[in-house]
Structure formats: structure tokens, C-alpha cells
Amino acid sequence: MPSMSKARVVTRFAPSPTGYLHLGHAYSALLNFDQARMAGGKFVLRIEDIDQQRCRPEYETAIFDDLGWLGITWDDVPLKQSDRFAVYEAQLLQLHDRGLIYRCFRTRKDIENAAGAPHGPPLSVFRSAPLAAREERDNLAGGRPYAWRLSLSAAEESLGSAFQSLSFQEATDKGLVEKPANPTLLGDVVLGRKDSGTSYHLSSVLDDATQGVTHVTRGEDLYEAAGLHVLLHRLMGLTPPIYCHHKLILDSEGKRLAKRDKSATLRHLRETGVTGKEVRARLFPN
Ligand code: GLU
């Protein structure tokens, strides 16, 4: 595990209650918990429940139960994102006032068809611009739903030459390494979804700052997101944390675990008599 400075370390675990936690979550939660405890810092919890369609109270209860079973305790009152929609909205309005985000009325299909290719460009590299004022007014008057998208062009203009050289600090076994952020990889990402009014990216960045998180340790599947998150921190005048991307826990066939894989859920293990200590020993054999 990477070494860390002992000053004011705050780590976090930020699950979404859209299913039962699995071994991958346990790995991430234990890493963060241990990092904080070893550094004499804080470990905080955040319930990422902005997707009100998919989140369920029983999954949220199970998060607390599973963490307790793993021997994990947390500092502070857990932050619940569904309590903070007004905060996210206020931030989006500010970003809009600064010209950094724009309303996008397109549907997924529109975007896929835009390039005229049979399957269109990947959604992930979509880049566009605000509509002309009149067209936008007409769309709004017609009640058409829209998402808020980050304008990479406006972000680049706002940051100037710093945009190209954006980087983040990654904690590795060899110490802190400066990594290029490449914030354009994901295109003009959605920061405010049509349904929830916010997004994982916006809420996660804002809440890491609100909770004073200094070290974000999470799965390597989120490596590219870190580059975008650093850009968002910068645009909102926040201090980015140090990142650490850990390996993903795979099933016996080498596939990534998913919440739908019942046998790998912590709840299932708990019910079949496995102890939290045994899970820790299995995930951290040395
Ligand atoms: N709610 C996200 C997840 O469960 C958190 C990702 C993160 O740690 O930033 O994947």
C-alpha cells in the first residue's frame, strides 16, 4: 500500500445503494479505512444516491450492515447526496453563468446518429456547443428536457495554457507520481443529467471537497475520470485530492464483479457464515 504523509489525511468510501456491495467494494472500503487509520486521519462515508430510480433503502441499510461486519467504522455523519440536490443545482447555475456548461437537448440516439456513421461516434467523445439563443428559447418554451454538459472549449479558454498541462498526483508503491490528466478523453461530459439534475462527476467532486477528502482511493476503472475530476476541481476553485487507483477484484473466470453477481455479494457471504475477518484475510493475504 502506498505510503502517505501523516498530515490531516481524510479518505472516503462512496458507494451507490443500487445493489448489494460485493468483494470489490469491500477491498476498496478496507483500503481506505486502513489508510486513514494508519495515518491517524479520518475515514468518511458518502451515500451516492442521486439516481433515485435505481437506489433502494434496503441497499442503503445493507451498506451500513456490511461495513460493520467488515469491522469498519467511520468518522462524521455520512453524507447523503440526495440531501444535496440544491447544492448541485446552485453550482451548475454558477458554471452556466461563467459559460462553462451548456444545455444539451439531444438524446442518446441524436448523438449516435450525428456523424452519419451506422453506429455514430462513441457517446464518450461527444463535443458540442450551446444552441443559438432563439433555438434554445424555443426548446425551453416547448418543455424539451435537457442535460447540462461541460464545455471543454470554454474550460480550455478559461484555464489557458494550464488546460494542456493539467495533471494529478497518483499515490503508488514508489511514492507520488504526477500523471497527465487528459481531461478531453471523455468529451463534453454530462454534469447535470436530465433525470436527476446532477451527475456522478459533479456531485463526487463537490462532495469530496465538502468532506475535506485528501486521498481518493478507488478502482482503476475510474482512472480516466480522475483527469476530468481534476479539471472540475480546478474550474470550481477546489483543491484536488491525491488519487490512488487500485486493481479490480475479479471472479473465478477473470471477469469484473458486478452487483448482480449474487454469490460475490457481502450479504451472501455473511448469510453463508463467512466472517468479515475471513473476507479481509482473503482480500489482503499478506
Ligand atoms: N458511487 C461510485 C461507485 O460506487 C463511487 C465512485 C468513486 O469512488 O468515486 O462506483
Side-chain angles (χ1 to χ4, degrees):
M1 186 188 303
S3 65
M4 294 188 307
S5 127
K6 294 225 181 276
R8 228 178 43 79
V9 165
V10 182
T11 66
R12 50 75 151 175
F13 180 55
S16 302
T18 52
Y20 292 115
L21 300 185
H22 55 58
L23 285 169
H25 295 105
Y27 185 68
S28 214
L30 286 165
L31 270 180
N32 279 288
F33 175 68
D34 290 352
Q35 281 178 348
R37 293 293 177 257
M38 274 165 49
K42 281 206 302 187
F43 169 74
V44 298
L45 196 56
R46 179 163 76 235
I47 304 297
E48 297 208 328
D49 58 349
I50 55 173
D51 188 340
Q52 300 275 282
Q53 302 293 325
R54 292 173 58 223
C55 291
R56 295 221 222 120
E58 60 268 35
Y59 295 142
E60 189 177 321
T61 307
I63 289 172
F64 297 114
D65 293 347
D66 289 344
L67 293 180
W69 171 75
L70 285 168
I72 289 178
T73 53
W74 49 92
D75 301 292
D76 300 349
V77 176
L79 183 150
K80 229 175 122 125
Q81 290 191 325
S82 58
D83 290 337
R84 289 170 51 81
F85 284 119
V87 174
Y88 309 137
E89 191 184 347
Q91 188 56 237
L92 285 169
L93 288 178
Q94 280 187 34
L95 291 171
H96 182 236
D97 286 347
R98 294 166 57 204
L100 291 167
I101 57 172
Y102 60 91
R103 290 187 179 89
C104 177
F105 294 88
R106 292 181 175 85
T107 61
R108 222 163 229 275
K109 265 243 127 34
D110 294 339
I111 295 171
E112 279 164 0
N113 294 337
H119 297 293
L123 280 173
S124 59
V125 291
F126 175 79
R127 288 184 71 164
S128 186
L131 292 177
R134 187 177 174 157
E135 207 181 331
E136 176 157 312
R137 261 201 317 274
D138 289 349
N139 277 326
L140 288 173
R144 286 189 62 195
Y146 61 84
W148 287 112
R149 280 187 185 271
L150 171 69
S151 167
L152 282 173
S153 317
E156 185 161 6
E157 208 170 296
S158 161
L159 296 187
S161 58
F163 184 86
Q164 297 300 341
S165 53
L166 266 183
S167 62
F168 60 88
Q169 290 194 303
E170 175 85 4
T172 72
D173 290 334
K174 298 183 188 72
L176 289 184
V177 178
E178 206 67 33
K179 297 280 187 182
N182 298 328
T184 56
L185 282 181
L186 301 172
D188 281 0
V189 290
V190 169
L191 293 187
R193 280 166 38 172
K194 286 180 185 169
D195 54 357
S196 65
T198 182
S199 63
Y200 158 64
H201 298 303
L202 180 83
S203 304
S204 169
V205 166
L206 271 177
D207 292 345
D208 278 337
T210 298
Q211 293 186 285
V213 173
T214 59
H215 293 73
V216 166
T217 295
R218 60 189 177 195
E220 61 193 12
D221 52 330
L222 287 166
Y223 187 83
E224 282 180 0
L228 166 68
H229 291 185
V230 169
L231 170 63
L232 295 178
H233 277 283
R234 199 54 196 266
L235 292 173
M236 296 192 284
L238 307 169
T239 307
I242 291 169
Y243 291 93
C244 176
H245 294 90
H246 62 70
K247 66 170 183 184
L248 299 180
I249 303 295
L250 305 175
D251 66 14
S252 53
E253 289 162 21
K255 285 203 312 262
R256 265 179 72 173
L257 294 177
K259 283 176 175 157
R260 60 181 174 277
D261 300 330
K262 285 232 159 26
S263 59
T265 63
L266 303 185
R267 188 189 170 92
H268 174 82
L269 293 169
R270 195 146 51 94
E271 282 171 358
T272 51
V274 178
T275 67
K277 269 198 179 140
E278 284 164 348
V279 167
R280 181 187 263 282
R282 180 166 150 194
L283 291 169
F284 301 94
N286 312 312

